[in-house]
Amino acid sequence: MSIDVFSDAWAEQWKVRINRSEAYAKAAQDWVGALVMVQDGGEGSQSPAVYADLRQGRCIEARAARPSDLEEADFVIAASQETWKSLFGGALDPMFAVLQGRLQLRKGKTAELLPYAKAAREMVMAARDIDTR
């Protein structure tokens, strides 16, 4: 059964997949912080967004983002639905997308993300198997 991208149900499945990934655990062993991913172009003023609390190779919490998460997260990354589909479909690398401007870093600095490029790839790969609508 397909679930809505960046919903609570989607986030829970994503968290489980991230935490099962040995490659993510290794690549993110020094990463501590919170991340929000936003899908631009949502209906009305509400764009789908997901929050992830990342701690030393583990995803401690993942859920649909709240408005306050956009202020409190270390990184806020936004993209169109088409870009997220390309990322989750394996056609686009996350760091390449940031450098191209297809993923917009709305909060945080690219230089702070670069050491975690492999971890970002692993997070995206964790989302690929989720049956998303």
Side-chain angles (χ1 to χ4, degrees):
M1 181 171 110
S2 295
I3 54 178
D4 291 332
V5 70
F6 299 165
S7 65
D8 282 328
W10 187 94
E12 185 58 33
Q13 287 191 30
W14 184 47
K15 175 185 168 184
V16 168
R17 286 167 171 76
I18 289 170
N19 288 335
R20 284 185 187 156
S21 171
E22 290 180 28
Y24 174 78
K26 183 176 180 181
Q29 65 187 352
D30 297 326
W31 191 351
V32 175
L35 166 77
V36 173
M37 299 188 310
V38 178
Q39 179 181 298
D40 284 336
E43 294 180 24
S45 63
Q46 188 74 342
S47 294
V50 67
Y51 167 89
D53 184 2
L54 308 167
R55 304 275 170 204
Q56 299 171 321
R58 303 268 310 150
C59 181
I60 303 303
E61 179 183 14
R63 57 175 163 70
R66 301 174 188 134
S68 61
D69 294 331
L70 296 169
E71 297 294 323
E72 296 169 11
D74 299 293
F75 298 99
V76 176
I77 301 171
S80 67
Q81 180 181 25
E82 178 182 312
T83 297
W84 288 120
K85 280 183 179 181
S86 293
L87 282 163
F88 297 147
L92 185 61
D93 176 82
M95 292 310 293
F96 188 66
V98 168
L99 296 174
Q100 280 186 319
R102 292 180 67 185
L103 276 179
Q104 299 148 16
L105 190 57
R106 292 191 178 157
K107 185 174 181 188
K109 294 183 170 49
T110 303
E112 294 171 351
L113 274 180
L114 286 175
Y116 307 109
K118 178 136 178 64
R121 276 187 219 101
E122 295 300 328
M123 289 173 66
V124 167
M125 287 180 22
R128 288 186 181 160
D129 294 334
I130 301 171
D131 187 8
T132 304
R133 112 176 109 222

